[in-house]
Amino acid sequence: MTGLGTDGRPLRVAIVGSGPAGFFVAEHLFGRDDLAARVDMYEALPTPFGLVRFGVAPDHQKIKNVTRTFEKAAAHPHFRFYGNVEIGRHLTLDDLRRHYHQVCFSTGAQTDRRLNIPGEDLARSHPATEFVAWYNGHPAFQSCRFDLSVERVAVVGVGNVAVDVARILCRTPDELAKTDITAEAEAALRESRIREILMLGRRGPGQAAFTTPEARELGEMPGADVWVPPEDVALDPISAAELARQDSRTVGKKLEILREFATRVPSGKPRRLIIRFLVSPIELSGNEAGEVVGMRIVRNELYADDQGRVRSRPTDRVEELPVELVFRSVGYHGVPLPGLPFDERWGVVPNERGRVVDPAGGPVPGVYVAGWIKRGPTGVIGTNKADAAETVEAMLEDLAAGRVAEPAEPDPEAADRCIRARQPRPVTYRDWRRLDALEVGRGKPQGRPRVKFTSVDEMLTNLERA
Ligand code: FAD
């Protein structure tokens, strides 16, 4: 019989999730001269690209250009896209096993990490994940409401997502008018009465996760003055020692920017962004209507753990902040997938270099993971490229070693029939190209990169019409 992975008998791969990790897996598979692969990509939403569309901030359009790379994989003659098909709902892992030699899950991290403090679930306390998905037009989050009529808001966290949220809250209507933010979010932000945004970091400025360009950008916003309390930006001995050990020029540059922020005096811009370090929320207090009206924070100090990692612990200095809206941005968290093992603590599918392993029963043959569901919600888009390459290496090692199950129905048409029986309206890549053109066309007269469709029905109706 012809060898598996050759033109006579191509390797059939299902990729679940069309974010950066899924597309990088497809790119790596198609990039191998010694492999003939047929790839079907499944996506729960009608639109591809995961967090590039629904996470990356609308005022950072250039970053979204990475989709041009993904277009190349999508243009491969042996690539098929099945949007609007959710694995676990329309098809199961067993269904996929019947049609493919290998299945790679790249489903990202679909929910948020919690603070686990009293008052967290009061009204006006929201996961940043929801706010981001709302302003970026994710269909499942369009009914969310955020009360922007208050004056003071706290953004808990100092990672890149927290910075995005703080920056979007500070943007002026003119700035937002050039983006692809949804009309509803834009209108709400135009009416916003927020005057002060507090960003709160648990550890010190030396450990802040945001990047230098992002820090710099905060200091250049036309609509908001930025300030850091000088006390918060002073480098403690533990961080100074860590910095000296790592000889980190990037952190040094970031500290320089933050120290300069500490010297600034308000110039009368409509909003003020205050970045605070070494503080953690310990309780949210509410009014009679159950809405947040305050946050109790504790001052932290840093210490080095057994392995020399810089950690924070609370002191006895407590402070009350009169904030009325809270965005919690302390990390994303993966969700379990039916039929796959799951590590609740880290929110990932347990794996060894991308091979899914069941801690109770050893390797799960033919099933792989890539991206955030594999390693947790860290890193930028590009990080997923090396991550996907590692997974593809594992897939090809298993192929070479004959550790590949034979699917009962490997014919691509059989998979297509099965999908259409379960989801009569899958969205193909051609359909997406039409939606994309429609969105870009709607944006043109307004000078925007695009005007997104924000409901699945709207997308499907437009596809019927076009
Ligand atoms: P995702 O991008 O989340 O893709 C997962 C996909 O799987 C989604 O499309 C989802 O709908 C789909 N899916 C989930 N479950 C199923 C299922 N059961 N069936 C079918 N499909 C499913 N990085 C940068 O480099 N620059 C930035 O400016 C930047 N900004 C960011 C802003 C935010 C708010 C966030 C959260 C992240 C940002 N990142 C940025 C990081 C970057 O987006 C991630 O590294 C990357 O998207 C992770 O890729 P992924 O493919 O693992 O997951």
Side-chain angles (χ1 to χ4, degrees):
M1 203 202 298
T2 332
L4 184 58
T6 60
D7 285 334
R9 211 169 142 238
L11 181 74
R12 299 258 303 127
V13 178
I15 297 175
V16 183
S18 69
F23 269 103
F24 284 132
V25 168
E27 186 185 307
H28 289 307
L29 286 168
F30 289 140
R32 300 288 294 232
D33 293 336
D34 54 346
L35 177 75
R38 282 175 169 267
V39 174
D40 288 350
M41 182 178 276
Y42 292 90
E43 169 56 55
L45 293 163
T47 53
F49 310 140
L51 285 169
V52 177
R53 181 174 166 101
F54 294 120
V56 172
D59 59 339
H60 279 176
Q61 285 298 316
K62 275 196 192 140
I63 292 168
K64 295 181 190 253
N65 287 343
V66 67
T67 58
R68 289 190 196 141
T69 319
F70 305 154
E71 299 274 349
K72 285 189 198 140
H76 195 281
H78 293 146
F79 176 89
R80 297 191 299 190
F81 178 74
Y82 289 102
N84 206 21
V85 180
E86 184 177 339
I87 304 307
R89 180 170 163 224
H90 300 105
L91 295 177
T92 63
L93 175 57
D94 283 342
D95 291 325
L96 296 178
R97 280 199 165 119
R98 215 171 39 249
H99 297 288
Y100 301 93
H101 299 102
Q102 296 181 328
V103 181
C104 180
F105 285 86
S106 48
T107 46
Q110 299 291 312
T111 185
D112 61 295
R113 234 172 236 289
R114 289 180 62 82
L115 291 172
N116 291 320
I117 59 168
E120 180 164 9
D121 294 318
L122 285 167
R124 298 200 302 226
S125 159
H126 307 275
T129 47
E130 286 181 7
F131 186 57
V132 168
W134 172 72
Y135 66 58
N136 271 322
H138 190 302
F141 294 86
Q142 293 313 295
S143 59
C144 292
R145 291 290 169 267
F146 305 93
D147 184 354
L148 307 183
S149 70
V150 302
E151 291 210 345
R152 298 187 88 204
V153 41
V155 180
V156 183
V158 285
N160 290 344
V161 178
V163 173
D164 280 355
V165 167
R167 203 182 57 250
I168 290 295
L169 289 169
C170 290
R171 287 290 186 210
T172 62
D174 279 355
E175 289 175 295
L176 293 175
K178 295 175 211 137
T179 73
D180 63 357
I181 195 164
T182 65
E184 185 142 316
E186 189 180 345
L189 287 160
R190 198 182 312 119
E191 298 301 314
S192 159
R193 292 209 213 116
I194 292 171
R195 292 284 157 265
E196 193 168 286
I197 296 119
L198 285 151
M199 243 172 79
L200 308 175
R202 180 168 51 103
R203 297 190 295 163
Q207 292 81 38
F210 54 73
T211 58
T212 309
E214 276 166 333
R216 194 173 292 122
E217 195 180 6
L218 292 179
E220 294 165 353
M221 294 184 295
D225 286 309
V226 64
W227 184 66
V228 185
E231 178 197 10
D232 288 17
V233 90
L235 203 61
D236 62 287
I238 290 173
S239 301
E242 184 191 44
L243 213 61
R245 251 198 334 272
Q246 293 174 342
D247 184 29
S248 170
R249 283 182 46 210
T250 325
V251 179
K253 192 82 211 147
K254 209 157 58 182
L255 284 172
E256 214 175 275
I257 295 169
L258 292 169
R259 285 197 194 112
E260 189 268 318
F261 289 170
T263 65
R264 291 195 183 184
V265 284
S267 69
K269 291 180 182 175
R271 298 200 171 98
R272 192 157 193 231
L273 170 64
I274 300 173
I275 310 171
R276 295 195 53 179
F277 294 101
L278 288 164
V279 288
S280 292
I282 47 175
E283 184 170 2
L284 301 184
S285 50
N287 59 16
E288 277 172 11
E291 298 161 327
V292 172
V293 286
M295 176 188 276
R296 179 172 300 162
I297 58 170
V298 64
R299 184 95 194 156
N300 296 326
E301 61 183 12
L302 297 178
Y303 70 100
D305 72 6
D306 306 346
Q307 277 129 36
R309 283 181 301 227
V310 179
R311 304 216 176 257
S312 67
R313 63 183 163 216
T315 65
D316 55 7
R317 279 174 64 191
V318 170
E319 199 184 320
E320 303 285 340
L321 301 176
V323 297
E324 294 158 295
L325 179 64
V326 175
F327 291 111
R328 312 180 310 258
S329 180
V330 290
Y332 282 52
H333 196 79
V335 295
L337 290 151
L340 285 189
F342 191 67
D343 182 330
E344 274 297 341
R345 177 150 187 242
W346 298 108
V348 295
V349 172
N351 69 93
E352 278 167 16
R353 292 173 40 240
R355 284 186 187 93
V356 173
V357 289
D358 187 339
V364 181
V367 185
Y368 304 84
V369 278
W372 276 15
I373 195 65
K374 170 187 174 189
R375 66 173 197 281
T378 57
V380 290
I381 293 165
T383 318
N384 299 293
K385 188 165 183 171
D387 178 299
E390 183 187 64
T391 298
V392 169
E393 274 312 309
M395 291 164 77
L396 298 187
E397 272 169 31
D398 288 351
L399 171 65
R403 289 190 294 263
V404 180
E406 192 53 48
E409 298 178 71
D411 175 10
E413 294 317 309
D416 190 74
R417 278 194 300 275
C418 172
I419 296 157
R420 288 172 195 279
R422 309 284 179 80
Q423 166 53 292
R425 190 55 178 100
V427 172
T428 63
Y429 207 78
R430 221 165 132 231
D431 289 336
W432 156 244
R433 296 291 302 266
R434 283 156 65 204
L435 282 177
D436 183 37
L438 287 171
E439 288 189 345
V440 171
R442 289 175 359 146
K444 276 226 168 81
Q446 300 179 33
R448 296 175 191 272
R450 68 178 64 238
V451 172
K452 287 177 180 172
F453 295 114
T454 56
S455 90
V456 174
D457 281 350
E458 198 187 9
M459 292 180 202
L460 298 182
T461 311
N462 273 281
L463 282 176
E464 300 313 325
R465 265 200 228 122

